Amino acid sequence: MKVPFLDIRAQNASIWSEIDAELRPVLQNAQFVLGPAVESFEAKFAEYIGVKACVGLNNGTSALQMALIACDIGPGDEVITTPHTWISTSWAISYVGARPVFVDIDPRTYTIDPEKVEAAITPRTKAILPVHLYGQAADLTRLSAIAQRHGLRLIEDAAQSHGAVWNGRRVGSIGDIGCFSFYPGKNLGAFGEGGAITTNDEKIGARIRRLRDHAQDGRHHHVEIGFNTRMEGIQGAVLSAKLAHLDNWNAQRREHAERYREQLANIEGLVLPACSRPESHVWHLFVVLVDDREHVSQHLGELGVATGMHYPTPVPQQPPTKIWDINTATFPLRKV
Ligand SMILES: *Cc1c(COP(=O)(O)O)cnc(C)c1O
């Protein structure tokens, strides 16, 4: 038996007729960029997340970038984030000319450690940007309290955690802005690139809606430096079809995680991922800690079980470190 790391074809095949029904009008009416399918998805996703506004974008990296711009974060500003994530979180901070300040993670949950955040705040800090890594919500209660106490924005990188719930609310609805990716391999994946922001702040929503379309405020009238970060009609259609199944798919992921947890319990040298509350984790990935990871991965590969490494090199140890001017006091560099 072969166990692939991810099989998107199987997921698509299970709902092919529903995807087809959503796609057909987009193709027939040639509504390829924005249009009714994107608007319809935005309305459904806003309702699902529990926010006033959702803005469909071209990918999750853009979502983070647009979010930072909409919070007026730019050169000279600092944004507190996690060193342990997909690189996009730091790219976005760099794109707006701000500086990422890395605060170490809680080794049990792999998400930013709220205990250490306050010590990293300076007069230049403008926002906290936690990542709900591998599908698990960061501690939004404590992070929100810190943000409020210091007058900071809270921007959630929810690219790996569509549908996770924190204290009865979905991630992406608790901070000022939620940033989502619909890259094909995410829990909710498009037929290509896709992303969105979610927010209860209608001014922020309206600004990002303008920014994504060349910052037009009426045709051919550009009110600031704009972008082309629009969602495609095809992606809106596919995402609408898939959104109806997300809760069910996440429930299946929880069941599988539970099975892994039972079957992999009490193996010496293997540390299983912590999950404090079942609803706050949607198991984008099931990441274990193990000493000789290359060996384990190779061995599983020989048995037909694919694995991935998330992430082999922490962000502050990537080559652009030099431009990020890292304060190692907030993130002790370790040898990798
Ligand atoms: C995937 C991902 C992104 C970026 O999304 P893209 O759609 O690939 O641009 C950002 N942050 C995290 C944590 C991600 O996993």
Side-chain angles (χ1 to χ4, degrees):
M1 185 182 175
K2 288 259 181 256
V3 183
F5 189 72
L6 172 68
D7 187 357
I8 298 172
R9 286 172 306 176
Q11 186 194 63
N12 292 341
S14 72
I15 57 162
W16 200 256
S17 62
E18 292 159 54
I19 293 176
D20 197 45
E22 294 281 351
L23 269 179
R24 202 163 289 261
V26 175
L27 303 178
Q28 276 168 348
N29 301 321
Q31 287 156 327
F32 295 120
V33 180
L34 298 177
V38 171
E39 282 166 31
S40 163
F41 170 68
E42 287 174 338
K44 287 181 202 142
F45 198 62
E47 193 191 340
Y48 176 81
I49 296 297
V51 287
K52 288 185 187 154
C54 165
V55 183
L57 299 167
N58 61 338
N59 61 57
T61 310
S62 295
L64 290 160
Q65 184 186 5
M66 302 295 110
L68 290 161
I69 295 171
C71 291
D72 294 312
I73 293 166
D77 296 335
E78 290 176 359
V79 177
I80 291 174
T81 192
T82 166
H84 185 57
T85 176
W86 171 245
I87 192 101
S88 292
T89 323
S90 299
W91 283 157
I93 298 168
S94 303
Y95 294 164
V96 301
R99 173 172 170 252
V101 172
F102 297 104
V103 167
D104 215 346
I105 56 167
D106 177 334
R108 290 164 305 135
T109 60
Y110 311 137
T111 55
I112 195 167
D113 186 349
E115 282 294 312
K116 298 186 174 143
V117 166
E118 231 155 358
I121 295 173
T122 77
R124 290 181 296 279
T125 309
K126 288 285 157 57
I128 308 173
L129 208 180
V131 178
H132 306 310
L133 198 73
Y134 307 146
Q136 173 147 256
D139 186 339
L140 288 167
T141 308
R142 284 156 83 200
L143 293 170
S144 297
I146 295 168
Q148 253 171 27
R149 197 151 59 236
H150 295 270
L152 306 176
R153 293 290 198 173
L154 181 63
I155 301 171
E156 301 175 56
D157 183 338
Q160 299 187 3
S161 58
H162 319 70
V165 171
W166 182 264
N167 273 351
R169 293 163 70 191
R170 295 219 191 261
V171 302
S173 71
I174 296 163
D176 296 280
I177 309 181
C179 299
F180 290 87
S181 163
F182 306 116
Y183 184 76
K186 309 283 177 168
N187 285 33
L188 181 60
F191 273 17
E193 306 273 359
I197 66 93
T198 51
T199 185
N200 278 313
D201 184 328
E202 289 176 270
K203 264 174 75 180
I204 285 179
R207 185 157 174 208
I208 296 177
R209 205 170 284 284
R210 268 203 317 267
L211 281 170
R212 74 172 170 184
D213 194 18
H214 304 283
Q216 290 183 102
D217 181 8
R219 188 103 177 109
H220 299 305
H221 184 242
H222 310 273
V223 291
E224 60 180 312
I225 292 180
F227 299 83
N228 175 0
T229 52
R230 299 172 298 219
M231 178 178 272
E232 294 187 340
I234 286 174
Q235 310 313 340
V238 170
L239 290 167
S240 278
K242 289 194 172 187
L243 179 59
H245 297 273
L246 179 62
D247 281 343
N248 185 22
W249 289 337
N250 281 341
Q252 284 175 19
R253 286 173 185 268
R254 281 193 188 108
E255 269 173 42
H256 295 162
E258 214 34 61
R259 284 239 287 286
Y260 280 151
R261 190 174 290 292
E262 283 161 22
Q263 303 287 322
L264 299 173
N266 308 317
I267 295 179
E268 211 187 297
L270 187 73
V271 180
L272 299 178
C275 170
S276 42
R277 316 168 186 190
E279 75 282 2
S280 72
H281 208 322
V282 291
W283 299 101
H284 175 57
L285 297 169
F286 189 94
V287 178
V288 301
L289 297 178
V290 65
D291 274 337
D292 190 356
R293 59 189 186 183
E294 276 80 14
H295 176 81
V296 172
S297 169
Q298 193 195 335
H299 183 66
L300 285 170
E302 282 159 11
L303 297 171
V305 179
T307 53
M309 229 171 266
H310 295 84
Y311 294 90
T313 309
V315 174
Q317 276 153 291
Q318 297 284 354
T321 294
K322 289 174 202 73
I323 59 162
W324 286 336
D325 177 25
I326 286 161
N327 176 3
T328 51
T330 55
F331 175 70
L333 289 173
R334 300 183 188 113
K335 230 180 143 42
V336 282

